[in-house]
Amino acid sequence: MYTSFHRIDLPRTIVVGGGVLDKAGGYVAGVAQRGSYVLVVSGPTVSSKYFERLRASLEAEGLTVGLKIIRDATVETAEEVAREALESRIEVVAGLGGGKSIDVAKYASKRAGSVFVSIPTVASHDGITSPFSSLKGFDKPISRPAKAPEAIIIDVDVIAEAPRRYNIAGFGDLIGKYTAVLDWRLAHKLRLEYYGEYAASLALLSAKHVSQYAEEIALGTREGYRVLLEALVSSGVSMCIAGSTRPASGSEHLFAHALHIVARNKPLHGEAVGVGTIMMAYLHGKNWRRIRGLLKTVGAPTNAKELGVEDDEVVEALTIAARIRPERYTILGEKGLTREAAEALARKTGVI
Ligand code: ZN
């Protein structure tokens, strides 16, 4: 008997298009019971801009709607939302916003056993579509299993209103899949870690897809953003298929997590991932200049100065990156880089 098994939970409905926020009710009703109670988790700014439109569309479908405004993405806040969802018998928890609201809603849905719906208002990273949450208060700055979204509803017009810098950061997060997949293959060869070709190909496809459309994305057109969003969705789905963040997160993410710890002025996640990808591509012996060129094309940071961090902080982050998550084997090895090697790497690739 073949005893090995692998469970995959995938999103049921994915909608990417113009004006879909006003139709969200129909899509949510499609994944919920009739007359369900929907709790919308959102931040103060985003909710003041978009909540009323979402509420109108949900209520038009006979759904009951509540709003929970959150100010941080801590485990405490997520547990509080989960308690409220359990006590009020809330069937659907919807995250409306960027990273924080989505991460909190996703984690709370898992804890409360409710349906999770993702309604991102910015394209800054693939957490908007993945089954993993990254919250403050976990013992490490890495993501933990939460819940795959039952529905992902993305209004391209809403995304186009988000600050350009945030959407461009999403490009950096996606470029990172080039080295994430190389690291996964390496771990498979050197540590016999499970490797799924299908999930790896899908993650890689999302990086190739945005590379091909870099100029369109740089222009900030609806078409460019739609490509970016579709790639973020497929990267999220690759994590659903793999059952881990492996296809989407390797040494470039370890560097980004480390930089988030050491930098006083913290860059956006996707910005740090993009710069990390330049350096990790160099270590993998790949065409790092091409990665840098693609980031330049979209106007994303390619060095410490553009990231707004100190040279020393980049070097420090490189030396501690491997220890952030020792079980995740990457090109950085088990112990990571020495200070000298880290500095040489950052100089060679023009990051410092
Ligand atoms: Zn990421």
Side-chain angles (χ1 to χ4, degrees), residues 86 90-91 108-115 147:
L86 276 171
I90 285 161
E91 287 101 347
S109 302
K110 185 194 174 178
R111 300 287 289 164
S114 43
V115 166
K147 201 158 193 193

Side-chain angles (χ1 to χ4, degrees), residues 19-188:
V20 299
L21 183 64
D22 300 306
K23 300 178 192 135
Y27 305 123
V28 175
V31 299
Q33 310 265 10
R34 264 181 89 84
S36 280
Y37 191 143
V38 182
L39 181 66
V40 178
V41 176
S42 190
T45 316
V46 167
S47 60
S48 69
K49 269 180 107 172
Y50 302 114
F51 175 68
E52 283 311 321
R53 278 172 66 191
L54 178 60
R55 182 218 289 271
S57 141
L58 293 167
E59 285 180 349
E61 296 293 328
L63 298 160
T64 306
V65 188
L67 171 66
K68 174 81 180 171
I69 296 203
I70 58 139
R71 287 182 163 77
D72 57 37
T74 59
V75 176
E76 221 185 325
T77 301
E79 293 287 1
E80 193 187 312
V81 174
R83 265 198 308 278
E84 196 172 320
L86 276 171
E87 280 162 16
S88 312
R89 298 172 186 261
I90 285 161
E91 287 101 347
V92 180
V93 178
L96 171 71
K100 285 180 190 161
S101 308
I102 305 257
D103 275 334
V104 166
K106 206 189 293 183
Y107 193 76
S109 302
K110 185 194 174 178
R111 300 287 289 164
S114 43
V115 166
F116 167 56
V117 173
S118 178
I119 311 175
T121 56
V122 65
S124 55
H125 59 89
D126 55 17
I128 58 176
T129 55
S130 83
F132 295 87
S133 266
S134 172
L135 297 171
K136 274 195 194 118
F138 287 154
D139 53 340
K140 283 178 179 178
I142 56 173
S143 49
R144 296 248 178 273
K147 201 158 193 193
E150 205 74 27
I152 303 168
I153 302 161
I154 317 179
D155 192 324
V156 181
D157 296 331
V158 168
I159 299 292
E161 283 172 19
R164 182 187 148 79
R165 183 186 163 202
Y166 283 78
N167 290 332
I168 292 303
F171 183 90
D173 200 23
L174 287 165
I175 282 296
K177 313 314 166 204
Y178 281 123
T179 47
V181 168
L182 290 171
D183 284 321
W184 195 10
R185 284 186 194 143
L186 190 69
H188 176 61

